């Protein structure tokens, strides 16, 4: 802390002589663990600022974003950072102290408690310590559901000095929002909002509940271009992201306790939740180098969930032979296929294979697309291209659950596509992802051949690599986290114990210098 | 038609001499049934324009928005209106003709078919004629579900010359979007979108999945001010409108085939759908002048759905005595209350009664609010203030179904509230609705006392009136529709046959002159 304090004094001097910009740069270097976690700072003059900040800090301590033993900054600095009075900051610290989340060491400041008091359940026991109220459906807090829904959470990050500015994030299916043309999206959205002014904004007709017509038409054109999926606006249902698409499909296809649903193993854990919630019997099915092993499908399967273009997480593209077998299997058994095509816009291989949902599979394939990867996840917009026989039921389900998606977002995305911005953005990102892939593949081949073998992959924003031998991958991932490198092992993608071992390298949220730094850290960890 | 053609010729002359504005005014008067239905016109040069327009016209004929016998305009006029070539318009007409949706009368043009060909199931039989695929859950197309979800649809409008510009819409719970400050919303939204640029737009933390913190804080302040509901941001879950709030509550509280859910009868039909979909046993419970009849609740009820402030549709405010009884009943039986407070911002009476969900009922009340009435339904934004014991499960369910609501809309609404625009808008609208209510109440008292008796009501955007004697209300409503006045009878709000009879006067989407015209038409119909 001495060094820090000296630096802090320097920062003040710098401010006095050199002005605002430098002060910010130096303050960044001074960043404290407290200032590194994501906090929603209260609005100026907010009356519940103290309560809100207390709750957020408590949550951060409970889920270990603020680690045991971490030193909190003095109240003066916190008050400054939070934009509250010094009194309010002291009030927050006092309450944390009173409830046992922090301790003070005489004359040495405030630290996150090493052992939490009885008031504060430790994260390990929190789940069981508070038995859910018997009035509640226990499904949603089951360990496997919490784990699946925790997929996007930043598990087990124990570094005390993770700085957002330097964390290197190889997690798959993230996008680099720094590269999104917010200005363009803002402009087309504002134009569309202006248009709303001239129309009655009443509840929409059933057709409107299927999604805005222009958006559905734009989606049709976009996937015809990028995925060779031919469909009319009438075949498209707009959903709140792919997750709601899975939920709607589960709601219309699953009979509780009866319907057998095949899921890829390893696969995308959050997809399993809506099917399980609807009462499906989930059957994990393995993947080989040709994709989902069709021969391993249970005879009584009714719904087959698959990522044929870019398996999540292995990256395999399903072979043409396997695709034919899958569609034939589904037809013969009266089953349907749910095709999750989350990043199919980003094709790099020479393979001519497009989506599984070609015109002649339109009767058995529910094609699920999303704007989370090719635009932004925060838009929460996706869609289903459904077989004609299922569409009316799907629309009714969508209407019953939330009527339709927010019109301003639908209009903004429709205009963004129609005016050619999506094509432009995808083209730009494809070139960027291509360079990242190339760097990664070259490194895997040249520097990591002793330990890792890339799994061939033609698509998308991540590459998986099998590990040779049997190093302790969890220990390696832990070591990486300590060095602020986030990298998934295969483990979390399996339904049960992992039967294959490897690492998943997402290219979505790391630029080339970050990749190089991250790979250097990985090399050290593997060499150790 | 002769008169029409002459008018049409006049319109052209007017255009030549008087320019654009007048032409539009005259064309409006010429509007044809085809131009009156809501169509999504294809973008210029769209390749699927013909298919899209064909499908939309077919749908309009099937659901009787275009009535049997209605004359379609000549292709030249349609082509103009649709923004397609004359060839494309002819292609659409040909296909409609070929598939039996329209007929031609020699030399006299094209008419909607009186009886639809075997290709075209009539609307009466469409539901049964196309048996749903056995792979689908039959729930969603059941007659009672379709009817409930069709609540917002403009049923049975048979007028051949409904013009949007002159239709008078007394349906309840609509808002007058003409009065919404789109410019302000656009400005605050653009500012927020600009802010997104500086943050990584990754999937949100669990806290983000509960809804944006600033929005939850803003909601807390808004309902504290307008509804005396005291809650912290931590108690609020942001939902895709009230409809998703009902779905989430059903998903976490209902055990299929077991849980008994009480619903108000008459009540809001779409609310029943998510509970029925979750497998609840719905029990209708009657309403008297004090609100929901607590004594009529079944002993084994687990969830009690109620609109205590402004019963939908009767408008009754639940008495203090009845509220106490309801909360005590729920506590004693381990049941919970779902309070649907859809238009509580608009209080006019002198009653001091606020929301049911006061601080001392926080353990048993799920308070559901929406921005559909105080802002716009097209935003699809609402929220639940949940008992602490249920919140973690509700958030997990929300995450499992669609992660969270679209961030741009959440940020826009949060800023709209935080900057005081919602308070301002509500104040403005309250004054406007107050004037409409006064006009309506005076009219009911002075001009309609022979036929109608207003049900006392302190809140909201509609007033219900019981009918004296037993006139044929359906025939009257039908006559009103022919005269372009949309007015609901109590019938559609009952689960079974109506036990009370009356009319519901929504004030949301009619201004004072429209109300006067509409009431004059009603008076004629009642006198007839």
């Amino acid at each position: 802390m001495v060094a820090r304090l000296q630096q802090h004094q320097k920062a003040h001097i710098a401010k006095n002589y050199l002005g605002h910009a430098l002060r910010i740069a130096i303050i960044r270097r001074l960043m404290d663990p407290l200032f590194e976690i994501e906090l929603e700072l209260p609005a100026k003059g907010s009356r519940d600022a103290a309560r809100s900040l207390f709750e957020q800090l408590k949550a951060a301590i409970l889920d270990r974003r603020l680690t045991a033993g971490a030193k909190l900054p003095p109240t003066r600095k916190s008050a400054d950072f939070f934009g509250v009075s010094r009194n309010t900051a002291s009030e927050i610290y006092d309450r944390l102290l009173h409830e046992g989340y922090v301790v003070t060491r005489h004359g040495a400041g405030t630290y996150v408690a090493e052992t939490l008091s009885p008031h504060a359940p430790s994260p390990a026991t929190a789940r069981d310590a508070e038995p859910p109220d018997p009035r509640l459906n226990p499904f949603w807090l089951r360990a496997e559901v919490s784990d699946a829904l925790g997929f996007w959470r930043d598990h087990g990050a124990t570094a005390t000095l993770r700085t957002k500015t330097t964390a290197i994030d190889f997690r798959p299916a993230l996008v680099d929002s720094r590269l999104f043309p917010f200005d363009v999206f803002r402009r087309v959205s504002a134009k569309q909002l202006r248009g709303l002014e001239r129309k009655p904004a009443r509840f929409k007709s059933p057709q409107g509940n299927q999604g805005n017509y222009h958006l559905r038409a734009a989606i049709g054109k976009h996937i015809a271009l990028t995925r060779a999926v031919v469909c009319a606006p009438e075949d498209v249902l707009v959903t709140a992201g792919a997750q709601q698409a899975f939920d709607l499909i589960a709601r219309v296809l699953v009979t509780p306790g009866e319907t057998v649903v095949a899921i890829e193993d390893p696969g995308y854990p959050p997809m399993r939740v809506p099917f399980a919630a609807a009462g499906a019997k989930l059957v994990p099915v393995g993947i080989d180098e040709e994709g989902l092993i069709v021969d391993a499908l249970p005879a009584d399967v009714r719904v087959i969930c698959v990522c044929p273009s870019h398996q999540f997480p292995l990256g395999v593209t399903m072979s043409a032979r396997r695709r034919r077998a899958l569609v034939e299997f589904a037809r013969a058994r009266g089953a349907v296929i749910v095709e999750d095509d989350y990043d199919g816009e980003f094709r790099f291989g020479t393979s001519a294979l497009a989506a599984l949902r070609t015109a002649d599979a339109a009767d058995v394939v529910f094609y699920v697309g999303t704007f989370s990867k090719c635009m932004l996840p925060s838009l929460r917009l996706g869609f289903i291209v459904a077989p004609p026989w299922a569409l009316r039921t799907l629309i009714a389900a969508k209407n019953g659950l939330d009527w339709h998606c927010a019109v301003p977002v639908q209009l903004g995305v429709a205009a963004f596509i129609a005016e050619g911005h999506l094509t432009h953005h995808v083209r730009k990102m494809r070139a960027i992802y291509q360079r990242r892939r190339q760097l990664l593949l070259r490194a895997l081949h040249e520097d990591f051949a002793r330990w890792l073998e890339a799994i061939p992959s033609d698509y998308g924003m991540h590459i998986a690599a099998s590990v040779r031998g049997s190093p302790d991958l969890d220990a390696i991932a832990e070591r990486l986290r300590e060095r602020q490198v986030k990298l998934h092992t295969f483990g979390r993608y399996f339904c049960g114990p992992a039967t294959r071992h490897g690492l998943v390298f997402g290219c979505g949220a790391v630029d080339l210098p970050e990749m190089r730094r991250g790979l250097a850290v990985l090399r050290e960890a593997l060499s150790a």
Side-chain angles (χ1 to χ4, degrees), chain A:
Chain A
M1 272 321 281
V2 177
R4 296 199 133 228
L5 275 175
Q6 284 171 344
Q7 279 190 339
H8 184 72
Q9 282 160 347
K10 267 190 234 152
H12 271 286
I13 295 163
K15 180 195 171 195
N16 293 340
Y17 291 92
L18 296 165
H20 188 64
L22 182 60
R23 173 167 159 77
I24 286 173
I26 295 179
I27 290 276
R28 275 237 169 116
R29 290 188 44 214
L30 289 178
M31 268 189 172
D32 207 283
L34 177 61
F35 304 152
E36 291 307 318
I37 59 174
E38 267 197 59
L39 292 176
E40 304 259 11
L41 300 182
K44 237 186 157 55
S46 162
R47 272 182 308 171
D48 53 16
R51 170 156 184 193
S52 148
L53 287 164
F54 166 76
E55 293 288 350
Q56 293 186 72
L57 293 174
K58 174 180 142 185
I61 292 169
L62 281 175
D63 66 14
R64 294 291 190 231
R65 278 173 292 146
L66 273 177
T67 35
K71 186 174 195 299
L72 297 191
T75 50
R76 176 185 39 78
K77 278 180 71 181
S78 295
D80 234 42
F81 178 73
F82 295 149
V84 299
S85 70
R86 184 108 182 247
N87 273 351
T88 302
S90 297
E91 190 189 315
I92 296 165
Y93 275 41
D94 285 351
R95 193 161 164 208
L96 287 170
L97 182 67
H98 178 73
E99 299 197 10
Y101 295 102
V102 300
V103 294
T104 51
R105 293 183 198 152
H106 189 64
T110 304
Y111 295 81
V112 174
E114 297 282 350
T115 36
L116 297 171
S117 82
H119 292 289
S122 81
T125 58
R127 191 182 279 154
D128 317 307
E130 249 182 73
D133 190 286
R135 285 170 287 190
L136 292 168
N137 181 339
F139 172 85
W140 297 102
L141 295 186
R142 271 187 209 150
E144 67 272 24
V145 173
S146 295
D147 288 345
L149 291 178
F151 179 79
W152 293 105
R153 227 172 284 148
D154 200 2
H155 281 293
T158 54
T160 47
L161 259 170
R162 276 192 312 130
T163 58
K164 253 186 251 170
T165 39
T166 56
I168 295 171
D169 202 339
F170 281 114
R171 287 180 297 163
L174 298 177
V175 300
D176 199 335
S177 67
R178 292 169 293 188
L179 301 170
F180 184 74
F182 279 92
D183 51 339
V184 175
F185 186 66
R186 189 167 69 230
R187 184 163 48 73
V188 299
S189 293
K191 199 169 123 195
Q192 293 298 319
L193 272 177
R194 214 169 289 132
L196 268 186
E197 213 159 331
R198 292 186 297 266
K199 283 189 189 178
R202 294 177 183 171
F203 280 92
K204 291 288 164 177
S205 64
Q207 194 180 50
N209 284 346
Q210 184 175 352
N212 175 272
Y213 185 86
H214 295 294
L215 176 56
R216 287 186 281 126
I219 287 170
K221 272 171 211 158
H222 173 65
I223 57 179
L225 193 71
T226 57
R227 310 298 298 127
V229 171
V230 177
C231 69
E234 288 70 27
D235 303 322
V236 179
L237 172 65
V238 177
T239 63
Q243 191 68 18
Q244 189 184 52
F246 303 142
D247 184 45
L248 289 169
I249 292 171
R251 295 269 213 136
V252 306
L253 290 177
V254 171
T255 306
E258 277 184 28
T259 309
V260 174
V261 175
I263 49 169
E264 293 182 315
D265 194 34
Y268 176 56
M271 184 203 217
R272 299 168 196 154
V273 174
F275 287 99
K281 294 197 264 186
L282 297 185
V283 177
V285 175
I287 312 290
D288 65 16
E289 66 282 357
E290 289 193 75
L292 185 83
I293 302 169
V294 173
D295 286 344
L297 286 167
D300 58 349
V301 68
R302 285 287 155 271
V303 181
I304 305 160
C305 299
V306 64
C307 298
S309 296
H310 188 227
Q311 206 276 336
F312 197 82
L314 299 181
V316 181
T317 301
M318 194 181 238
S319 68
R321 190 174 59 168
R322 199 56 77 70
R323 285 167 190 238
R324 273 194 307 275
L326 178 61
V327 171
E328 275 164 27
F329 177 96
R331 271 208 197 104
R333 312 283 174 136
V336 300
I337 300 161
V338 178
E339 174 176 20
D340 177 11
D341 197 35
Y342 58 100
D343 65 358
E345 285 91 353
F346 303 109
R347 182 150 64 99
F348 305 105
T350 50
S351 143
L353 285 177
L356 184 65
R357 196 274 184 201
T358 52
D360 65 342
D363 58 325
V364 287
V365 177
F366 290 69
Y367 175 90
V368 174
T370 175
F371 293 104
S372 294
K373 310 301 178 286
C374 64
M375 289 183 69
L376 289 174
S378 53
L379 300 175
R380 305 299 322 124
L381 214 58
F383 56 91
I384 307 172
V385 180
W389 53 267
L391 204 64
R392 210 155 56 104
T393 299
L394 277 172
I395 296 169
K398 170 72 180 164
N399 294 176
L401 306 195
D402 64 3
W403 296 111
H404 58 78
C405 294
V407 173
V409 180
Q410 290 196 66
L411 294 177
V413 173
F416 190 82
I417 303 174
E419 295 181 15
H421 304 300
L422 181 58
T423 304
H424 183 80
H425 183 58
V426 164
R427 199 177 296 139
K428 180 180 92 176
M429 295 311 296
R430 198 187 281 139
I432 289 170
Y433 293 147
Q434 175 73 306
R435 285 196 290 277
R436 294 179 183 176
R437 277 169 58 90
Q438 281 165 349
L439 185 152
L440 183 62
L441 285 170
R442 199 177 317 119
L444 288 174
H445 188 68
E446 292 172 6
D447 306 331
F448 291 89
R450 266 177 62 196
W451 301 287
L452 297 170
E453 184 183 356
I455 297 173
S457 169
D458 289 339
Y459 278 90
M461 302 152 63
H462 75 263
I463 285 175
S466 296
V467 74
R468 298 180 202 277
S470 51
D472 183 351
L473 282 183
D474 288 333
I476 289 167
E478 178 62 29
R479 207 166 309 145
L480 292 180
R481 271 197 297 273
E482 280 163 18
R483 300 282 307 275
Q484 307 167 46
V485 176
K486 300 178 190 172
L487 188 65
H488 277 179
T489 62
F490 288 179
R492 73 166 64 202
Y493 297 86
F494 278 92
C495 294
T499 53
R500 295 176 68 164
H501 302 281
L503 297 170
V504 184
F505 295 87
C507 306
V510 279
D511 59 23
L512 297 177
E514 286 169 337
M515 288 185 89
R516 287 195 198 94
R517 284 206 307 279
L519 290 172
V521 173
L522 175 62
R523 205 163 192 284
E524 269 180 58
L526 285 167
S527 306

